[in-house]
Amino acid sequence: MAEDAQHGLLEKYAAGVAFEDASGGTPVTVENYRLGITDYTRSVFADGSVALESVERPDIPTTGTGGPSARGISGCAYQLSAGVATYSNCKVEKSITTLTMWFRGGHWRYAGGHGASVTNTWGWDIQAVGASCAFQSLQSVTSTQARLRASCTVAGGWGSTNPWVELQSTSTGANVNANW
């Protein structure tokens, strides 16, 4: 984020006004670039807030079951065996100016179904600006959803929230969902 935008964003935060990257604003600039096997989209909003999205596009064999990862899912190890496409140890992440949450999960697809799970319980992080957040849970919510949940209190005790980010398996791939 530009250094000259930081002061204005802190004033908005102190006034309880949502940043444009989190409130559905339209970006004033969008930059797309690639580093290694990851494509990035960096959107800058009029108030100076920034949203960064990434999608990993590894060289996956063209078997009809592989394909690029969804935005927010990266670093997966891919394996196709006995008709099951498995993406393991994926970094599942959502990040905006004030909150970043990620965990390690995996998902799989085969002709008869699909699923998702937490890869490990120690591979996660929660970072917040202007709030104090604590780990609440990391678990498979259903057979197709794995979720990291936090408990956050806004600085000064102005409020609290329980944000979560999840990996959701679908019949055609996987998505990252969040309640923020």
Side-chain angles (χ1 to χ4, degrees):
M1 149 182 347
E3 191 172 321
D4 59 341
Q6 293 176 6
H7 181 72
L9 289 173
L10 289 172
E11 287 179 353
K12 282 182 92 167
Y13 176 76
V17 177
F19 297 157
E20 289 182 23
D21 69 334
S23 63
T26 303
V28 292
T29 63
V30 177
E31 176 187 7
N32 295 302
Y33 56 96
R34 183 174 182 85
L35 293 173
I37 61 171
T38 305
D39 292 333
Y40 293 91
T41 300
R42 182 177 186 267
S43 302
V44 179
F45 297 80
D47 65 357
S49 59
V50 176
L52 184 65
E53 294 182 39
S54 64
V55 61
E56 187 172 88
R57 299 193 187 277
D59 296 327
I60 296 175
T62 55
T63 61
T65 58
S69 298
R71 292 212 181 271
I73 303 173
S74 64
C76 301
Y78 172 77
Q79 181 178 0
L80 177 63
S81 178
V84 179
T86 304
Y87 300 81
S88 58
N89 203 35
C90 304
K91 185 175 184 181
V92 179
E93 178 177 29
K94 169 130 182 175
S95 181
I96 61 172
T97 302
T98 55
L99 183 61
T100 298
M101 295 176 68
W102 68 264
F103 69 96
R104 294 281 176 187
H107 61 100
W108 57 92
R109 290 191 315 269
Y110 58 97
H114 55 91
S117 66
V118 173
T119 300
N120 64 54
T121 56
W122 61 89
W124 58 270
D125 193 20
I126 302 165
Q127 296 179 14
V129 174
S132 174
C133 294
F135 171 85
Q136 195 174 54
S137 64
L138 177 58
Q139 63 189 26
S140 293
V141 181
T142 69
S143 63
T144 61
Q145 294 172 304
R147 183 181 291 172
L148 170 63
R149 188 176 184 90
S151 176
C152 300
T153 302
V154 178
W158 292 346
S160 63
T161 186
N162 294 86
W164 53 259
V165 62
E166 75 179 10
L167 171 64
Q168 181 178 22
S169 171
T170 69
S171 60
T172 58
N175 301 310
V176 174
N177 300 316
N179 66 343
W180 45 278

